Amino acid sequence: MTRRSTFTDQSVTYGAIGATLAPDLLRYPPEGYRPAEDSVRLGSGSERFERAAESLMTWGVQRGAGFEVVDVSAGTGAQYPGIVYGGDGAPLAEQPAPHAIQRFGGDGTPYITAGVAATLRRRGRFRSHDIPVLVVYVIDEPGRVGFAYGTTAEGPESGEESFILEHRDDDTVWLTIRSLLRARGGLRRLAAPRQRRKRRELTTRELRALHPAFPS
């Protein structure tokens, strides 16, 4: 059964909530935003997928990329199974009700759920830099898990970033990171060489965070 939850009741700093799910994101991004997509193979097999999934859903990418995750507030956790169809192809008269499942990592860290708010904090040489985010959707499907968060306060960048883990039919395990971002000052600012370099460095750290060749 496929389960997906979406949470959009709180304010984020952009309008295209869930746009990182769009198949044509790279070709047709919302005006003023710069899209990106990067993938890395993490290995093969169910064990690799399960270990990576647990890390991903307990902020492993963010921590591995050098952030502290602080001020975490609980989300709704509501999971919606979607429309369920009968053998004749018609929707069932009685659809499954939404339900919530709370899961925990091996160290007791709650899994990320839709509606979780948190602050990503990077400590600099002289001061800390905080990025408040809201988890706008969670994916929990057989062989595919992940989430996306959006920015909730003004900062250097505004938009959405998703982290999706897949156990593919050929038994390989892949992490895909998609983003839709607009820099302070607009698309021109985001396209500036320094901003592109900083974003690329962060994405590289995120892609390595779950890779067994780059232990945290």
Side-chain angles (χ1 to χ4, degrees):
M1 179 182 293
T2 296
R3 294 188 302 234
R4 179 173 297 170
S5 61
T6 306
F7 189 90
T8 59
D9 293 340
Q10 294 187 26
S11 296
V12 290
T13 59
Y14 63 104
I17 297 172
T20 49
L21 286 170
D24 56 358
L25 171 69
L26 299 181
R27 294 181 60 192
Y28 303 108
E31 184 177 356
Y33 287 82
R34 186 183 183 94
E37 178 178 304
D38 295 275
S39 297
V40 63
R41 179 177 171 177
L42 302 180
S44 302
S46 297
E47 182 179 355
R48 169 57 54 194
F49 175 76
E50 293 299 333
R51 291 179 62 183
E54 178 177 334
S55 181
L56 173 66
M57 299 308 294
T58 55
W59 303 101
V61 167
Q62 289 66 40
R63 293 192 171 101
F67 290 105
E68 293 180 66
V69 183
V70 300
D71 301 328
V72 180
S73 66
T76 63
Q79 298 284 355
Y80 295 87
I83 302 298
V84 178
Y85 297 86
D88 60 355
L92 295 178
E94 294 186 7
Q95 294 290 319
H99 58 282
I101 300 176
Q102 180 62 71
R103 298 175 64 187
F104 298 87
D107 63 355
T109 301
Y111 271 39
I112 293 167
T113 55
V116 164
T119 298
L120 308 181
R121 175 171 295 163
R122 180 179 291 280
R123 296 193 181 276
R125 186 172 182 180
F126 301 107
R127 64 185 181 89
S128 297
H129 176 57
D130 288 355
I131 306 172
V133 297
L134 175 73
V135 176
V136 295
Y137 66 78
V138 168
I139 292 173
D140 182 6
E141 302 171 1
R144 186 168 180 258
V145 298
F147 66 95
Y149 53 57
T151 53
T152 61
E154 292 301 323
E157 294 178 333
S158 173
E160 186 173 298
E161 192 169 12
S162 70
F163 309 87
I164 308 299
L165 187 72
E166 293 180 283
H167 188 187
R168 297 182 178 175
D169 291 341
D170 62 358
D171 203 32
T172 58
V173 179
W174 291 78
L175 172 67
T176 297
I177 298 175
R178 305 182 96 201
S179 61
L180 183 71
L181 298 167
R182 179 177 62 188
R184 182 184 295 168
L187 186 58
R188 182 177 300 175
R189 178 71 179 88
L190 188 60
R194 183 171 179 271
Q195 188 69 21
R196 289 203 309 269
R197 184 173 63 253
K198 289 176 63 177
R199 169 49 56 175
R200 173 51 49 188
E201 290 171 354
L202 173 58
T203 300
T204 298
R205 292 195 301 270
E206 291 173 334
L207 289 168
R208 289 178 173 179
L210 303 185
H211 201 289
F214 299 96
S216 57

